[in-house]
């Protein structure tokens, strides 16, 4: 941001604000230009940047894997096919390791979760001003391009996982069985209010922790990237130093983004496994 | 950091992606992987079988070679025996032949000797008769003393 009116805190704030589409104060629908407008939009607003980038990444993932799936055969694989097959094989091994029941949904679910989150996280390794700078040239007031730094994205996925958990729990154990699992353990039956409280909190904590873990890690990492980017404006020496810092932090983040995607995937598999397990 | 309808949009896209992945992406890939796994396993099994067969063939070849060696040794021994026999045969034949030749030669020699002796004897008789004739010319008739002279000749 070259504008001299911009202070450091507003630069950071600006980078952490989504491009929001919703109902403007004057009653029309459009893209919010200021923070106040965003605040007034309430729940019925859409983060256009988050949605666009996440769907773009999802489509990218599906196109790449679909192209590979069409060509898939048992001959010697080469190039991209080899790489994507390695990913699939890795997911398959993870699912076989943690998921004991039989459900054809879980492996594709794990693959989608892993690759999609990885791709969304990957945007983060682009310099923080790169895409938002381009988009501001196009006249967009805000742009937060890493979808996983938006809690809506992570909670949206966690919500999806949660719905699948509930669905398979009820499908496999029946409404009564699932209810009994919530109400009659870990303590004896006569303490069922305590059990219910504990278990429901535990149940709800699963998707929330899933979403918050990913969001927290990505958001914190993004803030650090932005802080490093701030240093570029403070002179030659600090700017060079910031260059090295950014390089180091990005290399470290190569690990973090993969790890976070992996953790999200593994926990998804584990939760799905729990939904299929009969507890006493 | 406000929660809004993006949440719902994300959840919907999540389900759509998972559904697409489950329908069109995962099954063909995993089928291909399984097929390749099977192919590799088959290949390894075939290699193992081939190796085993080769071992068997080697064993069989060794057996054949051993048998051939044994046979060859037998043949050589037989040939040697046969050769010895032939040599012995020829030796004995030669000996018999030699003895025969020797005997023939001896017989011939004896014959010659006898003939010579007969000749000699005849000559001696003639000489003796001539000598005696000369001595006895005057006194004895050759015919009257022929018996006596024959006796003498036989004693020589």
């Amino acid at each position: 941001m070259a504008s001299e009116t911009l202070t450091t805190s507003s630069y950071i704030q600006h980078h952490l604000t989504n491009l929001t589409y919703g109902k403007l104060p004057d009653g029309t629908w459009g893209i919010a230009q200021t923070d106040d407008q965003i605040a007034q939009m309430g729940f019925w607003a859409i983060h256009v940047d988050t949605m666009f980038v996440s769907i773009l990444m999802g489509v990218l993932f599906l196109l790449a894997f679909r192209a590979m799936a069409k060509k898939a055969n048992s001959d010697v694989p080469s190039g991209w096919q080899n790489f994507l097959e390695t990913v699939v094989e890795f997911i398959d091994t993870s699912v076989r390791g943690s998921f004991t029941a039989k459900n054809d949904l879980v492996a594709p679910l794990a693959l989608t979760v892993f690759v999609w989150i990885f791709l969304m996280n990957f945007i983060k390794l682009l310099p923080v001003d790169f895409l938002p700078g381009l988009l501001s040239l196009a006249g967009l007031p805000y742009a937060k391009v890493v979808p996983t730094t938006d809690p809506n994205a992570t909670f949206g996925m966690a919500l999806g996982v949660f719905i699948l958990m509930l669905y398979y729990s009820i499908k496999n154990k029946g409404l009564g069985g699932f209810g009994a699992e919530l109400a009659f353990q870990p303590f004896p039956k006569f303490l069922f209010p305590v059990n219910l409280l504990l278990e429901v909190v535990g149940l709800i904590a699963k998707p929330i922790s899933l979403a918050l873990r990913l969001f927290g890690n990505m958001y914190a990492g993004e803030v650090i990237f932005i802080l490093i980017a701030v240093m570029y404006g403070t002179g030659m020496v600090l700017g060079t130093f910031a260059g090295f810092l950014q390089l180091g932090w990005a290399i470290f983040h190569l690990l973090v983004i993969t790890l976070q995607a992996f953790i999200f995937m593994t926990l998804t598999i584990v939760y799905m496994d729990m939904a299929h397990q009969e507890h006493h | 950091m406000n929660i809004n309808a993006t949440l719902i949009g994300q959840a919907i896209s999540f389900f759509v992606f998972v559904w697409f992945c489950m329908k069109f992406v995962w099954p063909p890939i995993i089928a291909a992987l399984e097929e390749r796994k099977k192919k590799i396993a088959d290949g390894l099994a075939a290699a193992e079988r081939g190796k085993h067969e080769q071992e068997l063939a080697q064993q069989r070849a060794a057996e054949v070679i051993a048998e051939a060696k044994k046979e060859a040794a037998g043949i050589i021994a037989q040939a040697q025996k046969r050769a010895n026999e032939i040599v012995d045969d020829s030796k004995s034949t030669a000996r018999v032949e030699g003895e025969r030749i020797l005997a023939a030669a001896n017989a011939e020699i004896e014959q010659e000797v006898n003939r010579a002796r007969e000749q000699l004897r005849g000559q001696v008789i003639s000489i003796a008769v001539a000598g005696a004739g000369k001595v006895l010319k005057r006194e004895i008739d050759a015919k009257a003393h022929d018996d006596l002279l024959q006796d003498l000749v036989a004693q020589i």
Side-chain angles (χ1 to χ4, degrees), chain A residues 15-220:
Chain A
H15 267 286
L16 293 176
T17 306
N18 284 102
L19 181 70
T20 314
Y21 179 89
K23 199 176 184 188
L24 295 167
D26 58 7
T28 58
W29 288 75
I31 288 168
Q33 300 293 326
T34 64
D35 293 350
D36 289 340
Q37 285 178 345
I38 292 172
Q40 281 165 25
M41 278 175 176
F43 182 77
W44 292 108
I46 286 280
H47 289 161
V48 182
D49 44 7
T50 301
M51 284 307 292
F52 178 75
V53 175
S54 62
I55 289 174
L56 181 72
M57 288 300 126
V59 169
L60 213 67
F61 147 65
L62 289 175
L63 284 183
F65 275 79
R66 176 66 189 153
M68 193 274 260
K70 271 191 199 157
K71 285 191 297 180
N73 55 44
S74 57
D75 294 336
V76 180
S78 59
W80 267 101
Q81 196 189 348
N82 210 345
F83 172 69
L84 296 185
E85 276 182 11
T86 310
V87 175
V88 170
E89 191 111 58
F90 165 68
I91 305 285
D92 195 43
T93 315
S94 299
V95 172
R96 277 176 210 281
S98 328
F99 188 76
T100 48
K102 171 128 186 61
N103 189 339
D104 289 340
L105 173 91
V106 175
L109 171 71
L111 178 70
T112 310
V113 163
F114 180 71
V115 182
W116 193 26
I117 292 179
F118 177 80
L119 286 175
M120 288 194 285
N121 289 349
F122 195 81
I123 311 272
K124 202 173 156 110
L125 296 177
L126 297 173
V128 285
D129 277 319
F130 196 71
L131 286 176
L134 270 179
L135 291 171
S136 75
L137 288 182
L140 297 175
Y142 297 105
K144 194 167 100 178
V145 286
V146 187
T148 41
T149 56
D150 182 351
N152 287 299
T154 63
F155 273 102
M157 284 184 292
L159 183 68
V161 173
F162 188 56
I163 290 170
L164 287 175
M165 273 168 68
L166 292 182
Y167 172 73
Y168 281 110
S169 288
I170 292 168
K171 192 186 168 197
N172 288 304
K173 301 163 188 169
L175 204 54
F178 185 47
E181 198 180 290
L182 292 179
F184 299 148
Q185 59 161 4
F187 299 118
K189 286 184 181 178
F190 65 90
L191 281 174
F192 77 89
V194 183
N195 289 336
L196 203 59
L197 184 72
L198 278 174
E199 288 292 317
V200 167
V201 168
L203 185 70
I204 291 171
K206 281 173 190 167
I208 291 179
S209 67
L210 204 56
L212 281 182
R213 181 180 303 107
L214 179 60
F215 163 68
N217 274 286
M218 292 303 112
Y219 190 79

Side-chain angles (χ1 to χ4, degrees), chain A residues 38 43 45 47 54 58 62 65-66 72-75 77 85 92 105 107-109 112 116 152-153 155-156 160 215 219, chain B residues 1-7 9-11 14-15 17-18 20-22 24-26 28-29 32-36 39:
Chain A
I38 292 172
F43 182 77
H47 289 161
S54 62
L62 289 175
F65 275 79
R66 176 66 189 153
N73 55 44
S74 57
D75 294 336
E85 276 182 11
D92 195 43
L105 173 91
L109 171 71
T112 310
W116 193 26
N152 287 299
F155 273 102
F215 163 68
Y219 190 79
Chain B
M1 225 178 298
N2 23 28
I3 293 292
N4 56 28
T6 312
L7 179 78
Q10 279 288 325
F14 172 81
F15 280 119
F17 290 151
V18 170
F20 187 90
C21 184
M22 186 175 79
F24 302 110
V25 173
W26 187 264
I29 295 175
L33 288 182
E34 287 298 325
E35 202 185 318
R36 185 175 315 133
K39 219 167 160 182

Side-chain angles (χ1 to χ4, degrees), chain B residues 29-75:
Chain B
I29 295 175
I30 218 69
L33 288 182
E34 287 298 325
E35 202 185 318
R36 185 175 315 133
K37 215 180 270 176
K38 197 177 161 292
K39 219 167 160 182
I40 291 171
D42 286 354
L44 286 178
E48 192 63 34
R49 218 162 38 238
K51 212 170 132 192
H52 187 237
E53 260 164 35
Q54 194 220 3
E55 258 166 33
L56 279 184
Q58 245 165 5
Q59 210 174 321
R60 219 162 35 233
E63 269 168 27
V64 168
I65 288 172
E67 206 166 312
K69 267 185 186 160
K70 221 168 88 186
E71 222 166 293
I75 289 171

Side-chain angles (χ1 to χ4, degrees), chain A residues 236-252:
Chain A
M236 200 60 193
V237 180
L238 270 178
T240 313
F241 178 60
F244 284 110
L245 266 185
Q246 185 176 359
L247 181 68
W249 189 240
I251 290 169
F252 175 61

